[in-house]
Amino acid sequence: MRMKERRRAEEISGSIIRRLRAASGDWVSGRELGDALGMSRAAVWKHIMHLRAMGYRIEASTRLGYRLLGPEPLQIPEGICSRLIMLESIGSTNEFARQIASESQSWTVVIAEVQTAGRGRLGREWFSPPGGIWMSIILKPRVPPSEAFRCTMAASVAVCRSLRDLYALDARIKWPNDVLVNGRKICGILTEISAELDVINYVITGIGINANMSASALPEEWNATTISAELKREISRGELITRVLEEMRALLESGELYQEWAKLSDTINRRVRVQGFGDVTGLAESLEPDGALILRRDDGERVRILAGDCIHLRSAEQRRLDQRSNICTGLRG
Ligand code: BT5
């Protein structure tokens, strides 16, 4: 589909969703939707199929039409941030936040039900269907630009603590910006900054959490999971968002942020490969307060890495243990 056609299709899908949502779970007939949008009932059906493929749960009945099932409206208490902007569908909440950042107060939060062009680092895509938590926080900390990584630290610790406290999930941080549960990615964080040499104009910390989503929508090679897949039930996204924002605010003011971040690391003491400025393999030895990873290369030399993509490698020892337990299971079976 060409860009223009895709935009048009997105607009129509957006109008259908708004109309279904306005009906608060009641049926809306195909004829009514078709008349409102100036299209045939067959064309409406095509857009409904598209919305279902995006993850919207829409029930269809030849007699009654269509109705939207969940997700639940987000309930977030007032006062949790300076301004809360909730959007149905947007390209990227980080991009939206960037456009309003200069005139916005610190702790303005943008949340979208769906992102059509969600972003990861280095221009990668972030898959953002309905049911997830896609939010960006505008922050204006009075710290030098070199300390902006604290925002990523605070977000990742806040997400880990919330997943642990609310759902007893064993959440850990994979350096530098992922939260994993059972070794699979459940959350990604993207912090972008605008700064002069010595002052920060603003920081935008984008947090994407795979909340109430089917894990089968995520390609196997992403090694990803979702909260509802781990718990076998849906959660209240409003409750989770509230907890994450509260935790993050407290952490940014606390003197213990770095220690907490290092404690939750899943990367330390693992053999890793880091790609970015170069390609280095070795043992992840420690983390530093500015977010750097200290890695001991196989030739014994220590290197300090500030950013990159990290792959957790399985150690020879771990492989041996896995093999032994496979053999044991085999014998028992
Ligand atoms: C990240 O990038 O992990 C940062 C993701 C930040 C997303 C939030 S959502 C709200 C805000 N608005 C935005 O537009 N972005 C932020 P990175 O480390 O580069 O990981 C990207 C890679 O993760 C992709 O190349 C895929 O392999 C994989 N991926 C994409 N979508 C995923 C998902 N929903 N869950 C798990 N993995 C995913």
Side-chain angles (χ1 to χ4, degrees):
M1 228 191 289
R2 284 214 305 276
M3 194 67 162
K4 232 165 121 188
E5 287 164 9
R6 190 172 327 146
R7 284 250 166 78
R8 176 85 189 114
E10 267 166 20
E11 271 169 29
I12 294 171
S13 298
S15 319
I16 293 178
I17 279 299
R18 273 192 295 280
R19 277 165 204 278
L20 293 179
R21 212 178 268 293
S24 312
D26 279 344
W27 294 98
V28 182
S29 74
R31 174 180 303 235
E32 191 181 326
L33 286 173
D35 287 351
L37 297 163
M39 60 174 59
S40 68
R41 289 168 66 173
V44 170
W45 172 239
K46 225 174 78 193
H47 285 284
I48 296 281
M49 300 280 274
H50 171 66
L51 284 163
R52 279 182 170 173
M54 283 171 73
Y56 281 104
R57 292 188 298 164
I58 301 170
E59 194 178 350
S61 146
T62 27
R63 205 165 54 81
L64 301 165
Y66 305 103
R67 68 174 175 173
L68 188 61
L69 308 172
E72 99 285 16
L74 290 182
Q75 296 203 330
I76 296 161
E78 266 180 49
I80 189 92
C81 49
S82 58
R83 185 174 169 214
L84 182 59
I85 302 171
M86 297 223 230
L87 307 165
E88 183 63 52
S89 168
I90 191 79
S92 150
T93 53
N94 261 38
E95 180 54 30
F96 184 93
R98 195 182 60 77
Q99 286 166 12
I100 60 165
S102 310
E103 313 88 63
S104 297
Q105 277 183 33
S106 192
W107 283 98
T108 296
V109 176
V110 182
I111 302 178
E113 188 61 48
V114 171
Q115 293 186 117
T116 54
R119 292 205 304 246
R121 292 175 304 150
L122 307 168
R124 287 186 286 237
E125 269 182 44
W126 184 258
F127 175 58
S128 321
I133 293 173
W134 322 124
M135 76 171 162
S136 298
I137 304 152
I138 300 173
L139 297 163
K140 302 199 167 173
R142 288 196 198 92
V143 297
S146 57
E147 289 189 27
F149 189 77
R150 283 175 62 80
C151 300
T152 297
M153 270 186 196
S156 46
V157 176
V159 170
C160 270
R161 279 190 177 172
S162 306
L163 295 180
R164 286 167 169 266
D165 293 353
L166 293 173
Y167 320 117
L169 287 173
D170 184 16
R172 289 167 193 276
I173 300 167
K174 173 165 163 261
W175 184 88
N177 69 323
D178 294 346
V179 174
L180 309 183
V181 168
N182 298 327
R184 292 180 171 262
K185 184 159 171 172
I186 207 159
C187 163
I189 294 160
L190 172 69
T191 291
E192 297 176 298
I193 81 166
S194 156
E196 310 296 322
L197 262 184
D198 50 355
V199 297
I200 288 179
N201 301 324
Y202 57 80
V203 176
I204 296 167
T205 294
I207 305 179
I209 308 177
N210 297 335
N212 296 330
M213 295 156 48
S214 151
S216 59
L218 303 163
E220 188 51 41
E221 64 269 22
W222 287 358
N223 195 25
T225 189
T226 75
I227 300 178
S228 55
E230 294 296 323
L231 299 179
K232 314 261 181 308
R233 69 174 170 92
E234 301 215 331
I235 54 137
S236 155
R237 291 176 304 159
E239 182 183 35
L240 177 55
I241 293 169
T242 305
R243 179 67 77 95
V244 167
L245 292 174
E246 281 168 355
E247 289 278 359
M248 195 172 157
R249 200 182 265 261
L251 282 159
L252 279 171
E253 283 160 16
S254 109
E256 304 281 295
L257 173 57
Y258 155 68
Q259 287 84 346
E260 290 299 302
W261 179 68
K263 245 195 268 170
L264 285 166
S265 173
D266 194 32
T267 301
I268 294 310
N269 292 327
R270 275 185 195 273
R271 256 184 81 68
V272 298
R273 175 171 177 196
V274 183
Q275 292 163 304
F277 303 100
D279 189 334
V280 201
T281 300
L283 181 73
E285 267 195 354
S286 59
L287 294 163
E288 301 211 321
D290 63 354
L293 173 72
I294 305 297
L295 197 132
R296 186 185 283 277
R297 283 197 331 213
D298 295 342
D299 60 9
E301 193 181 325
R302 275 217 185 97
V303 283
R304 199 181 115 85
I305 310 174
L306 257 174
D309 283 318
C310 176
I311 302 166
H312 287 173
L313 301 171
R314 285 162 66 227
S315 65
E317 177 63 11
Q318 188 60 51
R319 266 200 301 275
R320 257 199 311 280
L321 287 173
D322 287 354
Q323 262 165 16
R324 266 179 49 191
S325 79
N326 283 345
I327 293 166
C328 291
T329 335
L331 282 177
R332 244 184 274 127

